[in-house]
């Protein structure tokens, strides 16, 4: 599940995470938005939270498998185009993120919700536009270094082509934003 405001607040209260950017962030710290994905977090904050939770940021390959399944589907629910009952994207006309537990009809083959749309999600990998041309076939973990980190998913303001399970995004790891959140994967020490 996308890490929610209430989940992230527990880490902040514990002293293990720093607060997300609060300027222009009407969602964080408001009870009514407790189940919305935490936004305005940078890659370091996302990684910090996952470590605190005893988990890890997923690699791009792990994220894509969780979204796409093993049958190479275009969207988590299959190959049918998205609609407002399946995902939060520009045609939903909501114009902002929604609770992380919405859209059960759009669940991935593994039961993961909001794998496309809602907010872009930080993943563990550095970004390289050509990495998958040279990566190992099994369990690629991304380039060793870089200047930008990868994000997946698309967001509430993205169109149907921008929220496919294989669409990749990139941003500087120290950058937080309105449509950037994350989820954690099993793992860690």
């Amino acid at each position: 599940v996308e890490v929610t405001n209430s989940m992230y607040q527990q880490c902040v209260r514990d002293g293990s995470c720093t607060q997300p950017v609060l300027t222009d962030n009407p969602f964080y710290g408001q009870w009514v938005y407790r189940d919305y994905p935490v936004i305005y977090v940078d890659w370091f904050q996302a990684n910090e939270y996952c470590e605190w939770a005893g988990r890890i940021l997923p690699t791009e390959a792990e994220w894509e498998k969780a979204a796409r399944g093993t049958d190479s589907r275009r969207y988590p629910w299959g190959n049918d185009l998205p609609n407002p009952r399946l995902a939060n994207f520009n045609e939903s006309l909501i114009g902002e993120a929604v609770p992380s537990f919405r859209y059960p009809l759009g669940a991935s083959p593994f039961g993961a919700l909001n794998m496309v749309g809602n907010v872009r999600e930080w993943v563990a990998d550095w970004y390289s536009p050509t990495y998958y041309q040279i990566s190992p076939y099994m369990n690629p973990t991304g380039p060793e270094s870089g200047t930008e980190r990868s994000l997946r998913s698309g967001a509430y303001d993205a169109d149907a082509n921008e929220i496919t399970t294989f669409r990749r995004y990139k941003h500087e790891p120290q950058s937080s934003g309105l449509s950037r959140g994350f989820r954690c994967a099993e793992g860690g020490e």
Side-chain angles (χ1 to χ4, degrees), residues 108-122:
S108 79
F110 297 103
L113 302 178
N114 288 308
M115 291 299 292
V116 296
N118 216 26
V119 296
R120 288 188 185 96
E121 299 177 8
W122 290 111

Side-chain angles (χ1 to χ4, degrees), residues 21-41:
V21 174
L22 299 178
T23 309
D24 299 322
N25 186 348
F27 304 108
Y28 187 78
Q30 303 296 321
W31 183 84
V32 71
Y33 297 115
R34 68 192 177 284
D35 292 333
Y36 280 55
V38 66
I39 55 173
Y40 284 107
V41 290

Side-chain angles (χ1 to χ4, degrees), residues 64-65 67-75 78-79 109 165-166:
E64 189 169 319
K65 183 175 181 181
R68 203 171 197 192
T70 57
D71 58 0
S72 299
R73 50 187 63 203
R74 186 171 179 82
Y75 301 101
N79 293 317
T165 55
F166 47 85

Side-chain angles (χ1 to χ4, degrees), residues 143-177:
E144 298 271 328
S145 63
T147 57
E148 297 171 307
R149 291 284 187 172
S150 295
L151 295 109
R152 300 302 290 260
S153 175
Y156 59 83
D157 58 353
D159 67 32
N161 291 321
E162 295 172 313
I163 64 165
T164 58
T165 55
F166 47 85
R167 183 68 181 244
R168 303 173 69 214
Y169 296 92
K170 62 184 175 171
H171 228 290
E172 296 84 10
Q174 68 278 13
S175 173
S176 59

